[in-house]
Amino acid sequence: MDVTTPSSAPWLIVGLGNPGPEYAVNRHNVGFMVVDLLAERIGGRFKRAGKAQAQVLEGRIGPPGPAGRRVILAKPMSYMNLSGGPVNALRDFYKVPVAQVVAVHDELDIDYGTLRLKLGGGDNGHNGLKSITKVLGADYHRVRFGIGRPPGRMPVADFVLKDFSSAERKELDYFVDRAADAVECLVTEGLERAQSSYNS
């Protein structure tokens, strides 16, 4: 999509994670962390979204005035494996084109802290993406936040549902901040510019 002629529809930026304090700083919840930071930047608070089983915040990203992009930040409250239902309900309610949906999620096959932005593609075994793709198709944007592979023979499910290590936490704020910057760049300047600036 050419962001120089923006759609009047908002962008739907979905952080993927699991609800509840016991999951809050798990690796699997880094999507929540990124949209929480975007919410801080916008200066608003999440609220429950009626029947959509999600928390949402409406606001604008980018420069003030017409150049700013209208966005809906969302955190599905359905648990990761069922993310598609809330995402589809919000997309339908706000009349968001699938190409203006952005999923921010953890990615096992990328080194910790590395970002990759793309449009479309497979789910790579990620249950949140699998659920979203089932209802939207694959043609939505992804901001993939690398968490690396589990050490030794640790099962993937155990690894993603553990908190970031103490060593990882030293850089986590920086990486989350960079991922939030990447989302803003994607929405305001387009995928190619965001990829050239943030894909590492």
Side-chain angles (χ1 to χ4, degrees):
M1 178 183 169
D2 180 1
V3 294
T4 59
T5 54
S7 161
S8 59
W11 285 71
L12 175 59
I13 301 168
V14 182
L16 296 184
N18 288 307
E22 67 271 34
Y23 299 107
V25 286
N26 287 179
R27 293 182 177 94
H28 223 18
N29 270 44
V30 74
F32 276 15
M33 297 175 200
V34 174
V35 294
D36 280 340
L37 179 56
L38 288 167
E40 276 183 42
R41 293 180 180 183
I42 288 172
R45 292 191 175 193
F46 284 97
K47 63 182 181 182
R48 202 74 184 191
K51 299 176 182 177
Q53 210 178 352
Q55 291 186 356
V56 299
L57 169 64
E58 298 182 51
R60 284 189 176 272
I61 280 177
R69 299 284 186 265
R70 187 171 156 233
V71 296
I72 312 298
L73 304 180
K75 297 192 291 185
M77 294 286 112
S78 57
Y79 291 96
M80 181 70 82
N81 297 5
L82 301 172
S83 299
V87 172
N88 195 41
L90 291 171
R91 187 203 63 78
D92 188 52
F93 180 79
Y94 289 104
K95 306 294 188 284
V96 179
V98 172
Q100 284 179 218
V101 175
V102 182
V104 185
H105 64 93
D106 57 302
E107 179 60 65
L108 285 160
D109 286 340
I110 303 175
D111 290 341
Y112 173 61
T114 299
L115 295 176
R116 292 275 194 281
L117 288 83
K118 68 175 187 172
L119 174 64
D123 56 58
N124 204 22
H126 192 290
N127 288 327
L129 295 181
K130 195 176 295 182
S131 179
I132 294 171
T133 298
K134 189 173 180 181
V135 293
L136 297 190
D139 295 330
Y140 55 93
H141 287 87
R142 299 101 189 277
V143 175
R144 306 158 73 204
F145 187 111
I147 60 170
R149 300 294 304 184
R153 298 187 178 185
M154 180 187 290
V156 164
D158 292 348
F159 179 69
V160 299
L161 293 176
K162 283 190 181 300
D163 293 354
F164 285 100
S165 69
S166 55
E168 288 169 334
R169 284 198 295 271
K170 290 176 182 174
E171 295 183 291
L172 183 59
D173 286 350
Y174 167 76
F175 289 138
V176 169
D177 191 70
R178 191 165 181 270
D181 290 346
V183 172
E184 291 184 345
C185 184
L186 169 62
V187 169
T188 59
E189 300 185 57
L191 180 61
E192 286 187 18
R193 175 64 66 87
Q195 286 175 325
S196 66
S197 299
Y198 293 98
N199 278 14
S200 47

